[in-house]
Amino acid sequence: MAPISVSKDRPSPQESFTQMADKDLESIGRHCQFEYCNQLDFLPFRCESCRETFCLDHRTETSHRCPKAGEWARRRNAQNSSPSASLPTQKPTIYNSDQCAHLDCKTLINTMKDPGVRCPNCNRQYCLKHRLREGHDCAKITPLGGRPAAAGANANETLRSMFARVRTWGKDKSQAATQSLTPTPKPNSPAARAAQLNTLKRSAKGDTNVPADKRLYLHVVGTSDTQRVDPPKGDFYYDNRWKVGRVLDDVARRLRVENVNNRAEEKERLRIFHVESGEFLEFSDTIGAGKVQSGHTIVLMRGAGVMLGK
């Protein structure tokens, strides 16, 4: 008689055989169905492939030369690869996702991971890192909704006063550039304009990867509020093949002007005003393909699109 094997609480998924329950087997037993064995075993095993009964020595598929070898493994693999078992884990859906209002932060807020915190002073939403007033320079930001949208004659007057200040600034810069030369050329003469452009080229900053023959040198004035007396300004150069929209993004970043064009209403969006032509530039236009030339002045204006109906 074959030796009595130790019973198992549950079969291992890596074995092709299962030990049969010992209920009433002590009285009747089972004969091994291997043709060369046929011995009585009181704790037999059932092959999970051919479903026949074998003793301890012939319980494996190899030992009893199973005619359906591997069938149990194929059934197990089919169960594991069923649609219910192979569904990929879906990522949680992000609802009401917005971007932190801090100029240098790209964190998405109002999500399950990053809640948004509204600043009571500037009325904008920030991530946890920039939620405090000191963290987002709140004192330098105009409160959202605190400035009424300009309309009609008042809006025209506001824009005209801003343009007047910009023109005055441009004239002062031109005079300063020409007075620094010896001898002093006549105002508005070709020599004076060439000297002013050379001065602009020496002071202008920009992307060093832009080829020298493609650089467009400009005086730039940026403003986040048309009521400010002294807007930020500087001299920069840009690739004359860039779109106006790309130039606007770069100006806003360099002069630290809040740019919310991609997520704000028209009254909060920025536009570029070309001082020399007195026209607003379209975002899709190429900056160097129109009237803009080196030595000219461009200005960031907020809310001008409301007046233009765009």
Side-chain angles (χ1 to χ4, degrees), residues 30-206:
R30 296 290 177 89
H31 288 276
C32 177
Q33 293 183 270
F34 186 56
E35 57 181 340
Y36 301 109
C37 179
N38 200 35
Q39 67 175 339
L40 181 65
D41 194 332
F42 291 107
L43 293 176
F45 295 84
R46 180 174 59 243
C47 175
E48 291 299 324
S49 293
C50 63
R51 311 299 291 180
E52 294 185 354
T53 306
F54 299 96
C55 64
L56 177 66
D57 293 336
H58 300 115
R59 67 187 187 280
T60 63
E61 292 180 346
T62 304
S63 61
H64 68 261
R65 302 174 186 174
C66 183
K68 297 182 179 180
E71 182 66 25
W72 70 278
R74 286 189 290 272
R75 289 198 304 268
R76 186 185 64 178
N77 293 336
Q79 292 176 355
N80 292 339
S81 61
S82 62
S84 59
S86 61
L87 288 177
T89 303
Q90 296 182 352
K91 296 183 179 179
T93 305
I94 299 177
Y95 297 99
N96 301 325
S97 59
D98 298 304
Q99 188 172 314
C100 175
H102 192 278
L103 297 179
D104 299 327
C105 183
K106 303 298 182 182
T107 302
L108 290 179
I109 58 175
N110 294 329
T111 66
M112 298 177 63
K113 181 181 178 181
D114 296 295
V117 180
R118 182 175 296 278
C119 175
N121 187 51
C122 65
N123 202 28
R124 288 174 169 81
Q125 293 194 68
Y126 299 90
C127 64
L128 296 178
K129 180 180 178 181
H130 299 111
R131 69 187 187 281
L132 301 178
R133 295 184 180 183
E134 297 79 7
H136 59 264
D137 293 332
C138 190
K140 301 179 181 180
I141 300 177
T142 302
L144 187 64
R147 184 179 73 255
N154 292 334
N156 290 330
E157 184 62 30
T158 300
L159 290 175
R160 281 196 295 268
S161 62
M162 181 61 192
F163 297 157
R165 290 198 297 270
V166 171
R167 291 180 185 276
T168 302
W169 174 81
K171 292 179 181 179
D172 293 342
K173 192 171 188 64
S174 299
Q175 293 176 1
T178 56
Q179 290 175 0
S180 63
L181 300 175
T182 304
T184 303
K186 295 180 180 181
N188 297 325
S189 65
R193 290 194 295 269
Q196 181 183 357
L197 182 57
N198 289 334
T199 302
L200 173 61
K201 290 181 177 181
R202 288 194 296 268
S203 62
K205 300 178 181 179

Side-chain angles (χ1 to χ4, degrees), residues 19 81 84 112-113 132 148 164 186 209 248 261 264 272 285 299:
Q19 190 171 27
S81 61
S84 59
M112 298 177 63
K113 181 181 178 181
L132 301 178
K186 295 180 180 181
N209 293 326
L248 185 149
N261 281 15
I272 287 186
D285 290 347
V299 185

